[in-house]
Amino acid sequence: MSQRNRDGKRTARERLREQREIDKAREKRKRTLIAVGAVVAVLAIAAGVGLLVAGRNNGGGVAVAAPAGAAGKDKLVIPVGASDAPSTLTVYEDFRCPACGQFEKTFTDTIHQLEDSGQIKVDYHLVRIIDGNAGGTGSLNAANAAACAQDQNKFRAYHDVLYANQPVETDDKFAQKTYLLQLADKVGGLKTPTFTTCVNNGTYDAWVKKSNSAFGQSGFNSTPTVLLNNTNIYADTQNPLTPAKLKQLVADANKGKKPGTATPSVTPSQSPSQSPSQSPSQSPSGSRSQSPSPSQSSTG
């Protein structure tokens, strides 16, 4: 065999060997890319599961806007009074609830006195039982408007105006945002463009719904629910709570303790008991009721 032929065969073998090396390298890169892709996919799935679990543990996982100064778990509490007050009154209430209206009519002045003297702070939880039981959106819209008032540092005053003008349970007048804005005129400086936009846009609707869901998981099922330092003081119908009894309970709880550094809040000029509309103590049928039955939560 000539030298030329031997050189040609050697060159062909070298080209074949080089091509094989190239194919091996290409296959190796392909396997590496597949492996990396699988790892990324697993990590993505794990991250998704983690977010789902976190979402379930957080009552839905979607952060909702809370009004200024909101406190407590998930910022679902609107606190009123001195943060360093020795006792805390916790109130779960629905602005459409007749029993809540009766409670406010009876206890508002006493609660304000205790707040303004630094004896208690009040943690308000706003719920919407009546919307669920009777239909409508008055509980939701009124609670959103109250949260909007909290942004203006006028929650307490507007809260009292809402109860002073509470319609009968069967009249879902609080569903009318124009009416809620009209009531805001009773609180000096509240009805600003910011407040109006907040009410009309339902800025805190999701927050109210989350508060209502939390109430459903609280173990309580009616409004008003009233706790003093986590003890239910409003459920005993055989020994009903009175303003004098509330003062005594607070005095006993605060014995030997220093009052908080409270600053008296501004209240509307109109007393909650002087409503131009239907009195909160009137039942849906029009008959007078001294103690309306608490509004029970519903699964509907």
Side-chain angles (χ1 to χ4, degrees):
M1 182 180 294
S2 66
Q3 182 67 35
R4 182 176 180 180
N5 288 338
R6 285 197 299 272
D7 291 343
K9 289 182 178 179
R10 194 164 44 245
T11 300
R13 284 196 297 271
E14 290 173 352
R15 286 199 300 269
L16 181 60
R17 185 171 59 252
E18 290 173 355
Q19 184 61 43
R20 287 174 177 171
E21 293 296 330
I22 292 173
D23 291 343
K24 288 181 180 179
R26 182 182 297 115
E27 186 65 25
K28 184 178 180 180
R29 288 196 299 271
K30 183 178 179 181
R31 289 196 300 270
T32 300
L33 289 174
I34 291 173
V36 171
V39 171
V40 170
V42 170
L43 291 175
I45 293 172
V49 171
L51 288 173
L52 179 60
V53 171
R56 287 175 177 172
N57 291 337
N58 193 34
V62 179
V64 300
K73 183 180 178 182
D74 295 332
K75 296 188 179 298
L76 298 178
V77 173
I78 293 184
V80 177
S83 61
D84 59 346
S87 288
T88 299
L89 193 71
T90 302
V91 179
Y92 294 87
E93 62 181 11
D94 181 331
F95 286 110
R96 286 182 70 188
C97 161
C100 296
Q102 182 63 45
F103 172 80
E104 291 295 334
K105 179 181 180 181
T106 304
F107 290 94
T108 289
D109 290 343
T110 301
I111 289 174
H112 287 347
Q113 291 169 12
L114 294 170
E115 286 172 344
D116 294 344
S117 61
Q119 300 300 312
I120 63 170
K121 75 177 177 73
V122 183
D123 285 348
Y124 286 99
H125 297 255
L126 308 184
V127 302
R128 53 178 313 211
I129 289 178
I130 304 301
D131 284 356
N133 291 347
T137 59
S139 301
L140 173 65
N141 291 355
N144 171 71
C148 295
Q150 170 68 9
D151 281 348
Q152 309 295 319
N153 197 30
K154 296 182 184 295
F155 170 82
R156 185 171 109 166
Y158 188 63
H159 166 277
D160 293 351
V161 164
L162 287 173
Y163 278 113
N165 295 273
Q166 185 190 57
V168 295
E169 184 178 355
T170 52
D171 179 6
D172 193 18
K173 196 169 184 179
F174 281 163
Q176 302 172 22
K177 294 180 179 181
T178 52
Y179 182 58
L180 296 172
L181 292 171
Q182 176 187 336
L183 294 180
D185 287 327
K186 298 178 180 294
V187 179
L190 174 58
K191 195 175 176 183
T192 63
T194 299
F195 174 80
T196 300
T197 298
C198 184
V199 171
N200 285 332
N201 289 352
T203 298
Y204 297 118
D205 282 359
W207 177 84
V208 175
K209 292 174 182 178
K210 191 168 186 177
S211 177
N212 190 68
S213 296
F215 175 68
Q217 300 168 8
S218 68
F220 304 115
N221 62 2
S222 64
T223 54
T225 292
V226 184
L227 316 176
L228 178 62
N229 299 328
N230 296 318
T231 297
N232 196 329
I233 60 173
Y234 199 66
D236 187 356
T237 56
Q238 300 302 315
N239 187 22
L241 186 68
T242 64
K245 184 177 178 181
L246 176 59
K247 287 182 179 180
Q248 187 59 54
L249 288 171
V250 171
D252 292 343
N254 292 353
K255 190 172 295 183
K257 298 177 182 178
K258 182 181 178 181
T261 53
T263 300
S265 300
V266 176
T267 55
S269 58
Q270 184 184 42
S271 168
S273 62
Q274 296 173 335
S275 170
S277 60
Q278 183 62 57
S279 170
S281 61
Q282 186 167 349
S283 67
S285 63
S287 61
R288 305 295 293 183
S289 172
Q290 293 302 316
S291 301
S293 299
S295 296
Q296 301 288 326
S297 61
S298 170
T299 57

